[in-house]
Amino acid sequence: MPTKDYVRWFSDIRLSDVAQVGGKNASLGELYATLSAEGVRVPNGFALIAEAYRDALTAAGAWEPLHRLFDNLDKSDVEKLAKHAAEARDIVYRATATGPLRDHIDRAYRQLETEYGANVAVAVRSSATAEDLPSASFAGQHESFLNVRGADQVFEACRRCFASLFTDRAISYRVDNGFDHFKVWLSVGVMKMVRSDRAASGVIFTLDTESGFRDVVFVTGVYGLGENIVQGTVNPDEFYVHKPTFRAGRRAVLSRALGDKQMRMIYADTGSGVRNVPVSEDERARFCISDAEVLELAANAITIEDHYSRSAGHPVPMDIEWAKDGDDGLLYIIQARPETVVSQRAPTGFETYALGGSGPVLATGRAVGEKIAAGPVRVITDASQLREFKPGEILVAQSTTPDWEPVMKIAGGIVTERGGRTCHAAIVARELGIPAVVGATDAKAVLATGVMVTVCCAEGDIGRVYQGALPIKKTHVELSEVKRPRTEIMLNLGNPELAFRTAMIPNDGVGLARMEFIINEHIKVHPMALVDPEKVASAEARAEIARLVRNYARPADYFIEKLSEGVGAIGAAFYPKPVIVRLSDFKTNEYARLLGGEGFEPHEENPMLGFRGAARYAHPAYAEGFALECAALRRVREDMGLTNVRIMVPFCRRVEEARRVLDAMAGHGLKRGENGLEIYVMCEIPNNVIQIDAFAELFDGFSIGSNDLTQLTLGVDRDSEIVAFDFDERDPGMLEMFRLAVTGAKRNGRHIGICGEAPANYPEVARFLTELGIDSISVNPSSILRTMQVVSDAENAVAATPPKVAG
């Protein structure tokens, strides 16, 4: 072997020595210096550059036998592929057993020992020149080794890393992605181990991994070494941070989700290696890192993304690994590479998926992707069963490994009992474009081989496995075909889990963000039961409330945090577009169904016209609960910095009632006009229309609630099937109410919109509202494209037909 120096310390690595990033050949040393200057900690270490691999194989005459093995190999012949791969690994392993290479590794490791102490533990990780490119992740294709000690063991691990260029899975992956086996070089990084076995570690993405939404940092974490999170052995904690407001100085965690974190990977008891141990129930009930640490990691991730983006000349979302050292308590970045799946989606169009039916839910977990697939189940409990797998089947397993990828490529969908959205199964499913549900506890027990199921990832963060093959609706829309009218077309949204993906479709913001879904699905508890838990009559309800709030200083803090996170997710998704959040509008019978709610709600014969909306907010029976709503919204606007959030008061019967509500809000720190706060009112009661001039003095805008306004104008119970035929927004009386509302609001210089499906369902209503000059129309996401077309056509028709002159 030529006498070259094959070792490069991290602070002096040319990118050409290790890997290409973003299509640019820049200096990794520059990145190291940039991170250090920004306070980002990176463990010290060195790399064996790719020339070490190339020169070793040249000196050993290994290229010719390797060509014989692979030049005409048919990868579909699995047995032959495995045989040739094993021979190739043996060739590379023997070729790299050279004295000079051993000497280089020995000297570098001794230098690390002078810095960190004798027998220092290191991670030995592969890095190929075709790895971590924008078009392919190569996730898990090559070997890495943790807790390696001593120069001899480091040398052995480096040789095994070099040989792993020819694992079965790596060979198959290169063929599938069009890489030449002999134009892929491999270097090896040797990094001082961070003692995360005594603390925590995880993965960061600088975008949302499911929707591709670019304005968030997504942080995941588990106890112990990070290999568990990649392998999908555990379900991690998850956190989101909003980049635009973070950059503006608002340092707040947008949302958090507690993972099971069942296992902790630690060092083996003797010598090198690692092992898993169970995590206590108490630790599992807590997040593995603090909010302050999440924000530090987010800052690091943004710094890294900015550096790579500058180098590449275009935005480069990143996939980053982090570790917390249990000895010094500090956070370290141990790997950074471009994200290679979601960020590569073409922005020219989008597809939407929806179920065309329903059925029993057999299993739930975290949704990966946004698609739906139906097929027969194939439960895999052992790798030896993979040969039985048939194309289109739904793969069900505890977790997956890179060796399973040939089978995963032909699966219709994937369901795993363990893992989060950054585990191996999730990464591969995204790359393959198939739906996956990960962390579906007991999936193997409830899903039997041969049973037909539907895997749905189109209903938010929760992925569901339904019994039977349900109808699937797929829509593809080219952005160039979407007509954007002059009238603002906004969205109605209640589920924060759909916010990021919904924000990707054309829209002008959120015209109606409903609190009720967040309270019902995420909080589950009546607000007054959190204000005064001792008044909850049911012992069972008290116990469940105590379980939900166990990690909070006050029960009320649970409500404030959960509601602010739900509203914040919607506000962040559409930032800086307006998001109009309606205060809670449950009826008393709906409030009573919340946990602990029965004792706080009166029985009413007609809840639709009873104690609801604005009537509750300043009333002694609910004033303390309303204070929690206000505290959550104040946190969204002030702590999170989401000042695009506007507040809307529902079902406000009288002007005096409006004044009482506004006074109560001001008393809770939500004063109209302060910090740009705009407060709207629902225009859904005839009195709102009749007294629109008086209401306009108190509010910044109106939103016509066509459902309640139609019900109260026509005297029709919208929930009664027997009189449903009389419920019609096109009735002349309703059109006159619309006219009075729109013209009245505009007369007072106030914003006026409508939140309802009437403009989407009835083109004549859309044209009528367009003629009146309504400012915005807000509809459900499934109707927005149709509404844009209808309103655009209506605007064109109005433009072509001059208005009639009176007289």
Side-chain angles (χ1 to χ4, degrees), residues 660-683:
R660 288 197 299 269
V661 170
L662 291 173
D663 287 344
M665 292 176 66
H668 297 308
L670 294 173
K671 186 174 182 179
R672 180 185 169 208
E674 285 190 357
N675 195 24
L677 174 60
E678 294 186 17
I679 302 179
Y680 288 21
V681 65
M682 291 288 293
C683 186

Side-chain angles (χ1 to χ4, degrees), residues 528 611 615-625:
M528 293 302 295
F611 189 45
R616 299 179 65 93
Y617 304 148
H619 194 284
Y622 188 70
E624 291 178 283

